[in-house]
């Protein structure tokens, strides 16, 4: 007999997944972490391995999985442009075949299921800030499409399983999230800038650096995910989860230089194709439905992230 909820976290050995697994264990759940270690690592969850309620399984979600669970958080998917463009066909398969497999599992086990979707479903948005009822402005055939369209198709599958099979689904649209355990070489802006600053290298601004992003600290994001999962069946989302504080990429670079005390210079590199010009979540829906809003200021979250990368460099 199972008293503690049995929770599957796909992509659980990744950056966000590792914090989510820890949070669910703290709340007393049994956690099954499934990952193919494409971008995630065993090291990310090494601190959880001694917990008897934690289990780690190597598995690729593009193949079916037969386990018994009460809840599923579907996070499996590389998130950084460098990694998701490395093998774009596999990226689409991970989102689409992965969604079909975990939805099938949820249908058989009657589990609640949450999809880690993304602000990328809005593409290069024409409305600002982005609300959930905006359908997006996405290139279907560009280098980012494997990720954007894969995630859009996964949302479609979640809502069709919900309508067709009456399943309890939750769709979170996650905006740029950062924190310790980001992969140091994943090419995302926060990890890139901090690693460049700590090594005394030039900081690479793509384009003019005036494009904006809104950065959410990982603890805040994980809290939003758990609150969304714990809502009743009437709450399906999609719900934006992100920090509405909006910064230009140049402002981020200057803050990283200040916090690290680095002597790095800002240098300009070409802007990648289809790079969104602006991004800021409207979180009215999350505030209302989840009583949630981020609490960690960018400066404070960045400081924790800088400290993590300093330790990583010292240990190397
Ligand atoms: P991450 O790359 O650190 O984590 C993804 C995890 O999924 C990794 O552990 C990876 O090994 C695993 N994975 C990839 N393909 C898999 C497969 N086929 N089978 C099993 N496991 C697989 O990235 P993250 O930042 O932790 O992102 C987690 C989720 O959140 C992703 O779905 C991502 O799209 C979504 N998301 C993240 C952000 C962000 O800013 N971090 C923003 C929007 C959405
Ligand atoms: N960026 C940058 N320099 C870098 C890495 C990224 O200027 O070294 C920019 C990138 O062009 C984008 C923003 O930072 O405008 C965020 O990039 P990231 O890859 O972190 O995520 P995205 O939000 O684009 O998926």
């Amino acid at each position: 007999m199972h008293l503690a909820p049995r929770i599957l976290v796909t992509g659980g050995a990744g950056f966000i997944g590792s914090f989510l697994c820890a949070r669910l264990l703290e709340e007393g759940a049994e956690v099954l972490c499934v990952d193919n270690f494409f971008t995630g690592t065993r090291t990310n969850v090494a601190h959880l391995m001694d917990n008897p309620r934690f289990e780690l399984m190597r598995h690729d979600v593009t193949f079916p999985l037969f386990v018994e669970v009460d809840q599923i958080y579907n996070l499996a998917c590389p998130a950084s442009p460098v990694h998701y463009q490395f093998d774009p066909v596999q990226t689409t398969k991970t989102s689409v075949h992965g969604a079909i497999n975990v939805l099938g599992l949820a249908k058989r086990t009657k589990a609640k299921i949450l999809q880690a979707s993304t602000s990328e479903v809005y593409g290069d948005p024409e409305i600002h800030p982005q609300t959930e009822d905006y359908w997006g402005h996405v290139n279907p055939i560009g280098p980012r499409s494997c990720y954007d369209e894969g995630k859009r198709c996964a949302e479609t599958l979640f809502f069709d399983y919900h309508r067709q099979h009456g399943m309890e689904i939750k769709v979170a649209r996650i905006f740029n999230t950062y924190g310790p355990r980001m992969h140091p070489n994943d090419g995302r802006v926060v990890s890139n800038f901090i690693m460049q600053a700590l090594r005394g290298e030039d900081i690479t601004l793509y384009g003019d650096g005036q494009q904006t992003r809104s950065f959410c600290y990982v603890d805040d994001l994980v809290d939003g995910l758990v609150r969304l999962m714990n809502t009743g069946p009437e709450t399906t989302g999609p719900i934006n989860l992100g920090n509405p504080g909006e910064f230009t990429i140049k402002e981020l670079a200057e803050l990283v230089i200040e916090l690290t005390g680095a002597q790095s210079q800002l240098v300009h590199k070409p802007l990648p194709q289809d790079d969104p010009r602006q991004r800021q979540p409207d979180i009215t829906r999350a505030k209302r439905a989840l009583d949630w809003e981020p609490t960690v200021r960018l400066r404070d979250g960045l400081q924790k992230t800088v400290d993590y990368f300093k330790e990583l460099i010292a240990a190397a």
Side-chain angles (χ1 to χ4, degrees), residues 79-82 84 118-120 144 147 176 182 186-193 196 203-207 209 211-213 215 249-250 252 269-272 275-277 279:
S80 94
V82 172
Y84 69 65
T118 168
S119 53
E120 291 282 329
R144 295 177 85 100
Y147 185 73
N176 294 63
M182 291 184 88
D186 73 2
R188 282 189 266 193
V189 68
V190 172
S191 43
N192 254 19
F193 284 2
Q196 288 166 341
I203 293 199
T204 52
L205 285 184
Y206 299 162
Q211 69 272 36
T212 68
R213 294 292 186 274
F215 298 100
I249 296 304
K250 184 156 181 277
L252 178 75
K269 296 267 166 120
L271 189 69
D275 199 278
R277 288 296 307 164
R279 191 181 281 158

Side-chain angles (χ1 to χ4, degrees), residues 229-277:
M229 179 63 100
N230 291 336
T231 54
E234 69 290 348
T235 305
T236 57
I239 290 199
N240 289 339
L241 293 180
N243 191 322
E246 185 186 12
F247 296 84
T248 67
I249 296 304
K250 184 156 181 277
E251 285 170 336
L252 178 75
E254 286 162 353
L255 189 51
V256 167
I257 288 177
E258 183 198 322
L259 293 175
T260 53
Q263 302 296 315
S264 302
Q265 303 296 311
L266 303 185
V267 297
H268 291 272
K269 296 267 166 120
L271 189 69
Q273 189 189 329
D274 297 337
D275 199 278
R277 288 296 307 164

